Amino acid sequence: MNTPAALKYSKSDEWILVEGNIVTLGVTDYAQEQLSDVVFVEVSVSVDDEVKINTTVATIESVKAAADVSLPVSAKVVAVNEALANAPEKINSDPYGEAWLLKAELKDPSELTALMDAKAYEEFCQTRSH
């Protein structure tokens, strides 16, 4: 399992890259492995939307299941990765790169303290049944 140290992680398998007050959201390597072959991605928010903490912002469908993706912080959406609509398989091949879902302006930096670092996330994943 790939868990980049520079990222923050949620218990619902989202990752966040924090760059100043801008956060980038995606789903983890663990999540894409559980989903298997992703066939559809829909980001359900738009640029300038104000999103409250833990609001569902995207849906990912695979051959096995569908999963909602939530934003684990309060933020204002500044960019949406439109390319995923035509290339949902990027979630499987590059979950931490080209498969980012959205970028947003962080509203309350203290919310980041609820997220896990890479080591804590790996330990959390190991406690779950496969």
Side-chain angles (χ1 to χ4, degrees):
M1 181 173 73
N2 181 12
T3 315
L7 305 177
K8 297 277 191 192
Y9 299 88
S10 72
K11 288 188 174 178
S12 50
D13 303 310
E14 291 90 10
W15 59 261
I16 293 254
L17 171 64
V18 181
E19 297 173 296
N21 70 332
I22 301 297
V23 296
T24 303
L25 173 73
V27 295
T28 65
D29 191 35
Y30 178 88
Q32 72 82 18
E33 280 181 13
Q34 298 304 305
L35 284 165
S36 183
D37 297 328
V38 174
V39 294
F40 178 77
V41 178
E42 179 181 42
V43 177
S44 53
V45 292
S46 303
V47 171
D48 292 332
D49 283 359
E50 299 276 345
V51 179
K52 288 186 170 49
I53 188 170
N54 295 327
T55 298
T56 299
V57 294
T59 303
I60 297 173
E61 292 179 16
S62 73
V63 293
K64 284 182 13 181
D68 287 335
V69 180
S70 55
L71 185 60
V73 293
S74 302
K76 179 180 178 182
V77 178
V78 297
V80 172
N81 188 350
E82 305 286 351
L84 284 180
N86 296 320
E89 67 280 359
K90 294 281 187 208
I91 297 278
N92 296 118
S93 63
D94 194 9
Y96 299 113
E98 291 184 34
W100 62 275
L101 295 166
L102 61 82
K103 294 179 187 277
E105 185 178 342
L106 189 60
K107 294 293 180 195
D108 183 356
S110 71
E111 291 173 347
L112 293 169
T113 60
L115 300 174
M116 294 174 276
D117 64 17
K119 185 174 186 296
Y121 180 69
E122 285 178 357
E123 289 169 1
F124 172 72
C125 289
Q126 287 170 359
T127 65
R128 300 192 275 187
S129 59
H130 293 282

